[in-house]
Structures are given as structure tokens and as C-alpha cells.
Amino acid sequence: MNIAIVGATGNVGRKIIEVLEKKNLPISELFLIASSKSEGKKINYKGKEHSVIDLEKFDFSKANITFFSAGGKISEQYVPTASQQSIV
């Protein structure tokens, strides 16, 4: 299962990452998504560093499930596209 987290660098996004790690779900690929200013930032998940991906460049068809923890305006803008390509 491929999971994307929009807003991964914020407090709620980091909490989602923490919960997913504790639940030990079978995640094949984890996409950590944030604004362009966070692109390339490294976040650890299960001992592996993941680079943050720019939201404007992300292809939601890569994710089976997408969590949104970004603000309302960002979610309003990107949820329609994401929901056509993955479960939001």
C-alpha cells in the first residue's frame, strides 16, 4: 500500500507519521508532501530518511491513500484532484 501525507512537515503531519510507524502498517512506499519551501527536507520513518516532495509536483496517482493535514485552503485546492486518483 502506498501512502501520501500532505502537510507532512507540520505538527499534525508528523503525528500521522508517528501513528503509522507505531501501527506497523504494511506500507510499500511513503510519500511525504509539503510546500516547495520544505522540498528536499529529510524526515525519518522506520529508520529510513524520506525526502519531502513539493505538493505542486506530486502525482497523486502514485498513492493508494492520501492523508491531508495541511490548512483548509490547501486542502480545498488539492483534495478534488487527489480524490480522483487515490482515497482521501
Side-chain angles (χ1 to χ4, degrees), residues 3 18 23 28 30 49 55 64 70:
I3 303 288
E18 181 183 320
K23 293 295 181 183
S28 303
L30 181 64
E49 282 192 337
L55 173 59
N64 302 108

Side-chain angles (χ1 to χ4, degrees), residues 1-74:
M1 169 171 38
N2 295 341
I3 303 288
I5 302 170
V6 176
T9 58
N11 289 335
V12 176
R14 290 196 180 258
K15 192 59 155 179
I16 292 170
I17 294 167
E18 181 183 320
V19 169
L20 290 175
E21 195 166 32
K22 285 181 180 177
K23 293 295 181 183
N24 204 24
L25 297 173
I27 297 174
S28 303
E29 197 158 359
L30 181 64
F31 301 101
L32 303 177
I33 317 297
S35 68
S36 60
K37 66 182 178 182
S38 294
E39 183 177 23
K41 186 176 182 176
K42 305 290 186 194
I43 297 177
N44 192 320
Y45 175 77
K46 289 191 173 184
K48 182 181 174 192
E49 282 192 337
H50 293 265
S51 293
V52 174
I53 302 165
D54 182 354
L55 173 59
E56 292 184 17
K57 298 176 184 175
F58 185 66
D59 176 5
F60 287 99
S61 68
K62 294 179 179 180
N64 302 108
I65 298 172
T66 301
F67 292 94
F68 273 82
S69 64
K73 287 186 179 186
I74 296 295

